[in-house]
Amino acid sequence: MTDVKGFFRRLDPDLCVVTAAAGGEQAGCLVGFASQCSMRPPRFTVWLSKANRTYEVARAARCLAVHLLAADQRALLEIFGGETGDEVDKFARVPWHEGPEGAVVLRDAAAWFVGTVLSRTDGGDHVGFVLDPVRGGGGRGGPLLRLSDAKPVEPGHPVA
């Protein structure tokens, strides 16, 4: 089998913070695997690690919120990528408001949308949540944080 690690090392996608709310719980995490997956109708897929608390809450959530972070929002990167909701209340440290279906929307995100979960796909150590966007906001310009920007951050959960 040909070595594909070199291919994957060259990828540097935009980072997202995904938040979920269900059963009186809230969770959120940094996501490096996310993409638009359909133009008509518009659809987006986010991949959540099975090792992450956000995945557990998202399994019961009707909607998820997806947030883009501007390059100067390293503090949000560190909270949602370097802390675990098993030990820290991340939402006590950031301004947020309730969105559609009780979704947790980060106020300071460069851009965001809330999407209804249409389906889930097991991809191995991550599960893909296909979302139907219902409402969005933001519009802060400038470059976004990318996967390479997260390398110095020690993950809140070990990589599975």
Side-chain angles (χ1 to χ4, degrees), residues 135-149:
R135 189 177 320 155
R140 183 177 172 182
L144 300 173
L145 284 171
R146 302 187 73 79
L147 186 60
S148 60
D149 296 316

Side-chain angles (χ1 to χ4, degrees), residues 4-105:
V4 297
K5 289 182 183 177
F7 177 89
F8 290 117
R9 276 194 292 268
R10 295 195 68 184
L11 299 176
D12 196 17
D14 296 327
L15 291 173
C16 300
V17 170
V18 174
T19 57
E25 292 188 79
Q26 298 173 329
C29 66
L30 193 65
V31 172
F33 307 147
S35 177
Q36 182 175 347
C37 59
S38 175
M39 291 172 50
R40 289 189 190 102
R43 299 285 188 257
F44 195 87
T45 301
V46 294
W47 293 87
L48 301 178
S49 169
K50 293 177 182 177
N52 197 306
R53 181 173 177 274
T54 303
Y55 167 71
E56 293 300 324
V57 176
R59 287 176 49 192
R62 179 168 151 63
C63 290
L64 300 179
V66 181
H67 309 80
L68 294 175
L69 303 180
D72 64 351
Q73 294 184 294
R74 290 198 62 83
L76 287 174
L77 179 152
E78 291 175 13
I79 291 168
F80 286 95
E83 304 285 344
T84 172
D86 295 326
E87 300 169 4
V88 173
D89 179 1
K90 298 174 189 182
F91 300 102
R93 300 170 60 191
V94 299
W96 62 276
H97 64 88
E98 188 173 309
E101 299 289 332
V104 179
V105 176

